Amino acid sequence: MIQNVPGVLFSPATGWRQLRDQSDQHPWSFLPVLLVFALIPAICIYIGTAHVGWEMFGSEDNRLLTRSSAIMLGILVYVGFVFGVGVMAQVVRWILFRTAGRPTLARAMAFVTFVSLPLMIGGLAGAFPYRVLIVGGAFITTVWSVLLLFKGLPVFMHLKDSDQTRFLGACIVAAGFLVLITNAFVFQHMWRTTQTDASYVGSQEEQSGMD
């Protein structure tokens, strides 16, 4: 399904139909897309936290993580994205429980994977963790994902393009924000429990000295 990525992102009207037809024939062919694109935020978070650094609010000190700590954070970001897609797939199946187009787990995961693509691609901002870039990128990719969801829901799930379908889409969006926030909190807490004061260095120069 990797060849379907540009079509869904930039021409969703036809891209979702092509993706639906391929999903009908090969239900689990979305997995390479999920496993590959989830690497983008994980790798970029590692680069941004271990090599670029960020400034805390109210401070001009450049903060960096040690490489081991940044690697752990990147791994948890990767696992968090994949896990989040699985959770959202179950949420989508639950919301569409009474519809004629209630999806299988594979179809729901494929749908959530492609809806989440802008968020995964937006993870590129993690390599340069500046406030304006992070906030702006988060806003743009969130809007992009929501638009993909509303465009793709009736097509991919074989539903009528009606007010009821749009209501179901709104329910999925609301549940998605809740899952995203909860998922981020859980995995961030998992990472925080492994950290000590020695997991941070104050600047690139200090990190070079440690190396």
Side-chain angles (χ1 to χ4, degrees):
M1 285 187 181
I2 290 181
Q3 71 272 16
N4 298 110
V5 169
V8 172
L9 290 177
F10 302 109
S11 183
T14 56
W16 278 113
R17 283 194 290 271
Q18 294 172 354
L19 186 65
R20 178 193 64 197
D21 295 340
Q22 184 169 349
S23 181
D24 289 339
Q25 298 176 9
H26 307 287
W28 293 95
S29 58
F30 71 91
L31 278 176
V33 177
L34 173 60
L35 298 179
V36 170
F37 277 82
L39 287 171
I40 295 175
I43 293 173
C44 291
I45 284 291
Y46 167 77
I47 294 171
T49 55
H51 298 284
V52 178
W54 72 96
E55 295 176 358
M56 302 293 289
F57 285 100
S59 173
E60 295 184 357
D61 294 333
N62 193 50
R63 300 280 289 176
L64 289 164
L65 294 176
T66 59
R67 290 178 184 175
S68 60
S69 180
I71 289 173
M72 176 61 68
L73 180 59
I75 291 172
L76 288 174
V77 167
Y78 182 80
V79 174
F81 259 99
V82 176
F83 179 78
V85 167
V87 172
M88 269 307 300
Q90 294 289 6
V91 170
V92 169
R93 296 188 74 230
W94 177 73
I95 291 175
L96 300 181
F97 179 78
R98 294 185 179 276
T99 66
R102 190 198 184 198
T104 62
L105 177 61
R107 178 175 287 273
M109 287 189 69
F111 178 71
V112 175
T113 295
F114 277 81
V115 167
S116 303
L117 279 177
L119 297 176
M120 297 183 195
I121 295 172
L124 289 168
F128 304 95
Y130 306 120
R131 297 165 195 164
V132 174
L133 186 60
I134 294 292
V135 173
F139 176 78
I140 292 171
T141 55
T142 299
V143 172
W144 196 355
S145 287
V146 170
L147 291 175
L148 286 182
L149 187 150
F150 281 101
K151 285 282 188 180
L153 185 61
V155 177
F156 194 73
M157 298 300 180
H158 301 281
L159 299 172
K160 293 181 179 179
D161 189 3
S162 62
D163 289 342
Q164 181 183 7
T165 300
R166 285 185 282 274
F167 173 74
L168 293 173
C171 292
I172 294 173
V173 171
F177 279 114
L178 180 61
V179 170
L180 180 64
I181 293 171
T182 304
N183 201 45
F185 174 80
V186 170
F187 280 90
Q188 187 262 0
H189 180 71
M190 291 171 62
W191 174 74
R192 292 279 296 184
T193 58
T194 67
Q195 306 310 296
T196 64
D197 291 339
S199 300
Y200 298 88
V201 291
S203 67
Q204 294 179 4
E205 289 75 13
E206 290 179 39
Q207 187 183 44
S208 298
M210 290 175 63
D211 294 341

